[in-house]
């Protein structure tokens, strides 16, 4: 692999232990991904704090971090924090009202937020967005063609497909600190072209249709780049839903919606003038089967509702506040958002509307990321394919089974107000 003189110095340890570990990690990542060189990142990064590497042998202790921070080290790339510390181990805001020990315990909260590590990262310039959808609050998006290193199901395709940035699913301390990543995958222009065309019998236009389509496309395409035809132009929420679902059914970093996404003014552009390797048509039965696969329940009684996967944007929160205004929910309702938007929702009065209705606004994580729901809850309704898939997987056994209901935000609001599930594929 080609390394510049500066990169060789880093790898040789001439710039100190932490930089050497970071460069060695990126070289190993490059080797695995088949990259022949590094790319200097001119966009942004995010990583799961406080993890210093995704591979144990490249982890380093906090003392080493403290040493370089005291010497003035900063993240070279603008860097955002993905979820609350330790892979979203607890809520950032609203935790006092979640009624789910230990998450409502101040001592647990303080410990989970890891002040030692976080204080050092903040001194390095970390922007503590704490969300799987940090781009909703970052106010600083990559321009078309800028190289980034992001994580997360909804975020990486948002960078590539929606914004025209360039990112693999590989944001790390190393890429943030050195502002480098292996030049492979989505950094390489020809890898961004569509190779599969996905058509659908119905016109895809509602939020749940985009969500279900995402899961089906993920299952069909795996790592391929699809072009989606026979869809309306997606909204921000629908892009988010498609992205998370496509990275749950599969691992989609990039896709095209001809006429909507920036690298695909037409289908021919999306394909780079070539013939697709495959053309697939999802009929009604296929999408209905996908929807039903994401539902895993025996009865119709709902004991809890969780909304906001990926974390709700402000319009999602506004629409939900209109639906809950003046109402009372019958079961616990959790609403997940980004910490910065939690405070905006508070200023806008949405939080008060939720509280008056008996629902709780939370930020920074979600039931799947904290690996559970409050004790005694055996039936959960959600409005996201990803949340349905992962939370079901956490309770697979018959004696530990969690009924999971998946449907639209309206279906979930109805279930919250009645305690009964009436959602179906429509
Ligand atoms: Fe985010 Fe949790 Fe969904 S971390 S994408 S809300 S599974």
């Amino acid at each position: 692999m080609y390394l510049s003189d500066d990169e060789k110095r880093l790898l040789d340890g001439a710039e100190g232990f932490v930089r050497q570990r970071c460069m060695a990690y990126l070289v190993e990542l490059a080797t695995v991904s088949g990259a022949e060189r590094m790319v200097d990142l001119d966009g942004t990064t995010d990583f799961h704090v406080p993890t210093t590497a995704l591979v144990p042998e490249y982890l380093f202790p906090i003392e080493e971090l403290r040493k370089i921070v005291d010497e003035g080290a900063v993240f070279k790339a603008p860097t955002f924090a993905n979820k609350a510390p330790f892979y979203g181990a607890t809520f950032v805001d609203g935790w006092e009202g979640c009624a789910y020990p230990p998450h409502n315990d101040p001592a647990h909260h303080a410990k989970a937020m890891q002040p030692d590590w976080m204080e050092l990262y903040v001194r390095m310039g970390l922007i503590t967005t704490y969300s799987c959808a940090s781009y909703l609050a970052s106010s600083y998006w990559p321009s078309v063609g800028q190289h980034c290193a992001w994580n997360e199901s909804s975020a990486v395709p948002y960078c590539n497909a929606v914004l025209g940035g360039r990112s693999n699913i590989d944001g790390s301390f190393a890429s943030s600190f050195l502002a480098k990543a292996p030049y492979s995958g989505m950094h390489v222009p020809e890898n961004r072209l569509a190779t599969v065309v996905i058509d659908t019998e119905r016109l895809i236009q509602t939020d749940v249709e985009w969500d279900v389509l995402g899961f089906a496309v993920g299952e069909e395409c795996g790592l391929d780049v699809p072009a989606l035809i026979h869809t309306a132009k997606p909204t921000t929420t629908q892009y988010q839903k498609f992205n998370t679902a496509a990275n749950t059914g599969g691992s989609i970093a990039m896709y095209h919606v001809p006429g909507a996404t920036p690298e695909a003014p037409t289908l021919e552009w999306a394909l780079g003038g070539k013939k697709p390797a495959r053309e697939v048509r999802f009929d009604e039965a296929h999408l209905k089967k996908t929807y039903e696969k994401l539902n895993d329940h025996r009865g119709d009684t709902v004991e809890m509702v969780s909304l906001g996967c990926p974390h709700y944007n402000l319009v999602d929160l506004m629409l939900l506040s209109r639906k809950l205004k003046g109402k009372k929910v019958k079961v616990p309702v959790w609403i997940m958002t980004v910490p910065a938007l939690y405070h905006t929702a508070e200023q806008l009065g949405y939080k008060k509307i939720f509280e008056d209705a008996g629902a709780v606004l939370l930020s920074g994580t979600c039931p799947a990321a904290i690996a559970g729901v409050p004790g005694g809850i055996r039936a959960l309704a959600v409005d996201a394919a990803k949340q349905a898939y992962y939370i079901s997987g956490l309770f697979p056994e018959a004696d530990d089974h969690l009924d999971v209901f998946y449907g639209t935000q309206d279906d979930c609001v109805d279930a919250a107000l009645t305690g009964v599930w009436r959602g179906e594929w429509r």
Side-chain angles (χ1 to χ4, degrees), residues 83 132 152-153 244 308-311 365-366 368-369 386-387:
K83 292 208 283 288
C132 54
E152 282 291 354
S153 56
T244 46
C309 169
H311 293 160
T365 189
C366 72
K386 180 175 178 179
Q387 193 70 210

Side-chain angles (χ1 to χ4, degrees), residues 49-274:
V49 290
T51 318
T52 52
L54 299 174
V55 181
E57 67 189 281
Y58 296 106
L59 293 172
F60 53 82
I62 191 167
E63 293 71 33
E64 295 291 343
L65 184 68
R66 195 183 306 284
K67 212 186 300 174
I68 61 164
V69 175
D70 286 344
E71 289 165 4
V74 294
F75 291 116
K76 201 166 172 193
T79 301
F80 297 86
N82 186 325
K83 292 208 283 288
F86 281 111
Y87 288 91
T90 200
F91 305 105
V92 175
D93 302 289
W95 52 274
E96 304 92 333
C98 72
Y100 182 22
H103 299 283
N104 56 352
D105 174 356
H108 172 84
H109 181 75
K111 185 158 182 266
M113 295 304 285
Q114 284 291 309
D116 289 354
W117 284 93
M118 295 319 303
E119 188 239 333
L120 295 174
Y121 285 139
V122 169
R123 283 171 61 194
M124 291 181 74
L126 180 75
I127 301 168
T128 51
T129 37
Y130 289 142
S131 177
C132 54
S134 286
Y135 56 91
L136 287 177
S138 64
S139 77
Y140 188 87
W141 301 281
S143 306
V144 171
Q146 281 194 315
H147 294 277
C148 302
W150 288 19
N151 284 289
E152 282 291 354
S153 56
S154 86
V156 172
Y158 208 89
C159 178
N160 286 307
V162 183
L163 300 174
R166 308 270 188 265
S167 179
N168 292 317
I169 307 176
D170 63 356
S172 64
F173 177 90
S175 52
S176 303
F177 187 32
L178 302 183
K180 288 182 186 296
Y183 184 68
S184 60
M186 292 305 114
H187 293 288
V188 182
E190 51 268 34
N191 293 346
R192 301 170 64 81
L193 297 172
T195 54
V196 184
V197 174
I198 302 283
D199 192 5
T200 44
E201 189 177 343
R202 76 161 67 185
L203 178 72
I204 300 298
Q205 49 191 340
T206 67
D207 292 359
V208 74
E209 286 170 344
W210 276 102
D211 206 26
V212 168
L213 176 68
F215 195 86
V217 166
E219 286 189 310
E220 174 66 38
C221 295
L223 293 163
D224 292 339
V225 176
L228 315 175
I229 58 174
H230 205 208
T231 74
K233 283 195 174 59
T235 65
T236 298
T237 296
Q238 292 167 353
Y239 276 128
Q240 291 185 264
K241 283 192 165 289
F242 179 86
N243 295 354
T244 46
N247 272 309
T248 305
S251 187
I252 305 287
M254 174 67 179
Y255 60 91
H256 303 271
V257 184
T261 50
E263 292 176 48
T266 64
L267 178 60
E268 290 65 35
W269 271 77
L271 292 162
K274 298 183 189 139

